[in-house]
Amino acid sequence: MPSVEQLREILDPATSVLLTVECQQGVVGPESALPELAEEARASGALANVARLVAAAHLAGVQVVHAVAERRPDGRGANRNARLFRAAERLPVQQLSGTTAVRVAAPIEVADEDFVVRRLHGLSPLAGTDVDPLLRNLGCRTVIVTGVSANVAIPNAVFDAVNLGYTAVVPADAIAGVPADYTPALVRHTLALVATVASTKDVLGAWKRPRRTG
């Protein structure tokens, strides 16, 4: 684990971006297409921690980017080259463009200065989307990855961020996947090898300005 000073340097508000991944109503909301994942995101406190991080980012002047996965009603342009995509087509709740399913879910608040980046294909919020060029134009050096799922999109986001030259930070209690014991195993055996693993409390503390004495 990095020291407080190291984490504060890595998480400099001027060069950091908080990325929320698929924290949308149709994924983590009450009427989720994936109720087991939605339940885990809420029961584990991960969704609440994402909301805490977003609120703190707004106060600290850290840019927030919400990455949303959706598809056209006609399905044009969507992937069908993996079992996951074909299964998603048959789910009772569809992540269709323009519907409530693809709105960022409560209790996360979207501010006017936030970016909401939508993708119609693939597994990653970075590959083939506007996220990378936006990050570069913002002068970003550190990407804080939060949201769901630890099974697919989160590791994709972390690997892509590292491959693109960013420092990835993962607040381990602000991501979720299924089953519940999979997420800590992923963090310990995979993400910790390429990302700085922290907690929500650590990140919040890094964004607090130290008190002056004397």
Side-chain angles (χ1 to χ4, degrees), residues 11-23:
L11 295 172
D12 181 351
T15 56
S16 297
V17 167
L18 177 66
L19 178 68
T20 76
V21 179
E22 297 183 25
C23 292

Side-chain angles (χ1 to χ4, degrees), residues 26 33 71-72 87-97 99 101-102:
R71 58 185 283 125
R72 288 167 49 116
E89 292 179 346
R90 299 191 296 270
L91 292 174
V93 177
Q94 294 290 306
Q95 315 299 319
L96 299 181
S97 303
T99 68
V102 297

Side-chain angles (χ1 to χ4, degrees), residues 185-206:
L186 170 77
V187 171
R188 179 178 179 181
H189 298 293
T190 302
L191 299 187
L193 302 177
V194 296
T196 298
V197 177
S199 68
T200 295
K201 182 179 179 181
D202 293 334
V203 176
L204 296 178

